[in-house]
Amino acid sequence: MYTTVVVTRISIVLVMERRAFLKQSSLASSLLFVPSFIRAFDALPINKNGFKRLVIIQLSGGNDGLNTIVPYRNDLYYKSRPSIAIPQSEILKITDELGLHSSLGPLQKLYDQGFLSIINNVGYPNPNRSHFRAMDIWQTGSSAEQTLQTGWIGRYLDSNGIKPYNALEIDDSLSLALKGRTINGIAVKDPNVLFRTSQDPYFKNVLRHYHDEHLSEHNLGYLYKTMISAESSAKYIFEKHKTSSNASTFPKNEFARQMKTAARLINSGIDTKVFYASLDGFDTHANQKNSQSRLLKVYAESIEAFVMDLIKEGTFDDTLILTFSEFGRRVKQNAANGTDHGAASNVFIIGNQLKTPGIYNELASLSNLDENGDLKYTVDFRSIYATILDKWLDVSDTDVLNSNFEKLKFI
């Protein structure tokens, strides 16, 4: 099937292969509906230092927070989890009551240096236990009763950004968190691949004709100008990526590769304020101990390498790392030696500008659970967002979150 579009002197034939290209391309996924026509490579360079960045890490599937930050002196913990509780002898003790999972040794080093703040019991009223809905809530910053079409980072871009590359997701597709009303972030798993994709002859053909006066008068012109912005953004990211290298050795896994790319871009001085990465596999309904142990090891080793890389390049002071999961797990283990979907869990804040390093607040009571057998939340996740927006990114949190939430004191 062919569709022919005539615009003054040019006739562009879009075949099905081109449609597939646009549908599958990370350029299209990220930027197809971004009305930002500013050529990215015209942006002024910024200094590595003095430019605050936020790195968001999503632990997808619902990480079991109770086996991550372990109440190792609480008998109810061991009674509720007779076969999956972490033995006291293996726990990395950080207070008289709480300890880290044994796979989080690299995170303990950050904790000991004052680089880690652990916020317990993070959630929201009337929690949803569906992966998709719960993730939408966290990514949009909505309540359980709201359905929003824009992400909290996307709305941050709407209010304060003028370029799509101000927020980058280190992946092939863009999460809802980075999608705004008028501007989206960019999904870029590999800057080299993104740049090569942007040099496709189809994109180059558009660039040759973008001065055509009729393009600006139609929806077609909107699409073409968006593609021009996509091409220029890809070039800018590629050029910045070339100027830097990694100072640390990273583990050999996909999540570490994401963090390695993020570190290299940060150290290049790229004009990006938010980076987004994810680690999947935390839906541990069965045989949880081995799966979670492996995943937490991947997370901790990759984060340590990332932080060390930034420290060596002098960019850690201006970087804040937020790690979250869409929900925690049920307090009691199930019959398959796993845990089912729960509610409140812990959030990690990593940085060198923390006002409250260590354990930010006490773990919720294991003897006073909600009606589903889950930990009760005491910290609304949107308070964490509000604090980061206000205190770190220095923007109006109420404009982004459409409401006023309590500010916390971790930064």
Side-chain angles (χ1 to χ4, degrees), residues 65 120-123 127 327-329 342-346 374-378:
N120 291 305
N121 326 314
V122 181
F327 46 62
R329 315 293 294 189
S345 191
N346 34 59
D374 296 325
L375 291 174
K376 292 181 178 179
Y377 92 97
T378 60

Side-chain angles (χ1 to χ4, degrees), residues 282-329:
F282 286 93
D283 195 18
T284 50
H285 288 282
N287 302 315
Q288 175 177 298
K289 287 190 76 170
N290 291 337
S291 295
Q292 191 191 30
S293 178
R294 175 182 58 82
L295 289 167
L296 291 180
K297 185 174 188 291
V298 167
Y299 167 77
E301 291 179 349
S302 301
I303 289 298
E304 180 184 37
F306 178 71
V307 170
M308 292 304 106
D309 200 310
L310 299 191
I311 289 175
K312 290 176 182 178
E313 293 296 316
T315 54
F316 183 53
D317 286 355
D318 299 313
T319 303
L320 190 72
I321 306 165
L322 163 69
T323 301
F324 78 96
S325 195
E326 69 263 37
F327 46 62
R329 315 293 294 189

Side-chain angles (χ1 to χ4, degrees), residues 47-67:
N47 295 323
K48 285 185 179 182
N49 302 312
F51 181 77
K52 289 186 176 179
R53 308 166 191 87
L54 172 65
V55 179
I56 304 172
I57 298 168
Q58 170 184 305
L59 304 182
S60 301
N63 178 46
D64 179 18
L66 202 54
N67 268 18

Side-chain angles (χ1 to χ4, degrees), residues 359-376:
I359 301 297
Y360 183 82
N361 58 331
E362 294 183 0
L363 186 69
S365 171
L366 295 185
S367 60
N368 183 23
L369 305 177
D370 70 12
E371 65 275 10
N372 293 292
D374 296 325
L375 291 174
K376 292 181 178 179

Side-chain angles (χ1 to χ4, degrees), residues 140-392:
T140 63
S142 74
S143 69
E145 292 75 28
Q146 288 177 301
T147 300
L148 300 180
Q149 304 303 317
T150 57
W152 73 287
I153 296 301
R155 296 194 300 276
Y156 161 72
L157 292 177
D158 286 338
S159 300
N160 304 278
I162 58 171
K163 308 173 190 71
Y165 58 78
N166 284 160
L168 298 180
E169 180 160 6
I170 314 300
D171 204 343
D172 286 327
S173 59
L174 197 68
S175 297
L176 176 57
L178 282 74
K179 295 180 180 179
R181 291 180 297 272
T182 60
I183 186 169
N184 293 348
I186 298 178
V188 50
K189 189 173 186 178
D190 184 330
N192 300 303
V193 173
L194 183 72
F195 177 69
R196 288 198 300 269
T197 301
S198 74
Q199 300 306 297
D200 181 273
Y202 180 62
F203 278 92
K204 307 309 289 184
N205 188 44
V206 171
L207 288 174
R208 283 197 297 272
H209 297 287
Y210 80 94
H211 286 302
D212 193 295
E213 62 186 50
H214 290 275
L215 287 178
S216 62
E217 299 176 7
H218 305 283
N219 289 336
L220 186 63
Y222 169 86
L223 172 62
Y224 285 177
K225 287 183 178 181
T226 300
M227 292 172 66
I228 292 167
S229 180
E231 193 272 348
S232 63
S233 294
K235 180 176 181 180
Y236 173 74
I237 295 167
F238 172 71
E239 294 294 341
K240 296 301 291 186
H241 186 257
K242 284 197 308 182
T243 66
S244 184
S245 60
N246 293 103
S248 293
T249 301
F250 284 74
K252 304 296 184 182
N253 59 69
E254 181 56 37
F255 178 66
R257 280 189 286 273
Q258 291 182 59
M259 302 313 298
K260 183 177 182 180
T261 298
R264 184 169 173 178
L265 286 169
I266 289 171
N267 293 334
S268 76
I270 193 171
D271 186 8
T272 298
K273 298 173 178 63
V274 181
F275 294 83
Y276 202 96
S278 61
L279 176 60
D280 199 1
F282 286 93
D283 195 18
T284 50
H285 288 282
N287 302 315
Q288 175 177 298
K289 287 190 76 170
N290 291 337
S291 295
Q292 191 191 30
S293 178
R294 175 182 58 82
L295 289 167
L296 291 180
K297 185 174 188 291
V298 167
Y299 167 77
E301 291 179 349
S302 301
I303 289 298
E304 180 184 37
F306 178 71
V307 170
M308 292 304 106
D309 200 310
L310 299 191
I311 289 175
K312 290 176 182 178
E313 293 296 316
T315 54
F316 183 53
D317 286 355
D318 299 313
T319 303
L320 190 72
I321 306 165
L322 163 69
T323 301
F324 78 96
S325 195
E326 69 263 37
F327 46 62
R329 315 293 294 189
R330 195 63 44 85
V331 171
K332 287 187 177 182
Q333 71 173 70
N334 61 28
N337 292 322
T339 50
D340 297 324
H341 299 178
S345 191
N346 34 59
V347 161
F348 294 158
I349 306 291
I350 298 172
N352 195 26
Q353 307 291 329
L354 303 178
K355 288 185 178 178
T356 314
I359 301 297
Y360 183 82
N361 58 331
E362 294 183 0
L363 186 69
S365 171
L366 295 185
S367 60
N368 183 23
L369 305 177
D370 70 12
E371 65 275 10
N372 293 292
D374 296 325
L375 291 174
K376 292 181 178 179
Y377 92 97
T378 60
V379 176
D380 194 305
F381 76 100
R382 290 161 295 185
S383 287
I384 296 175
Y385 292 176
T387 304
I388 290 172
L389 290 164
D390 179 57
K391 303 298 184 184
W392 188 255

Side-chain angles (χ1 to χ4, degrees), residues 100 104-112 116 299-300 303 348 350:
L100 297 172
L104 294 177
L107 211 63
Q108 185 182 33
K109 297 177 187 177
L110 300 181
Y111 182 95
D112 291 342
L116 172 63
Y299 167 77
I303 289 298
F348 294 158
I350 298 172

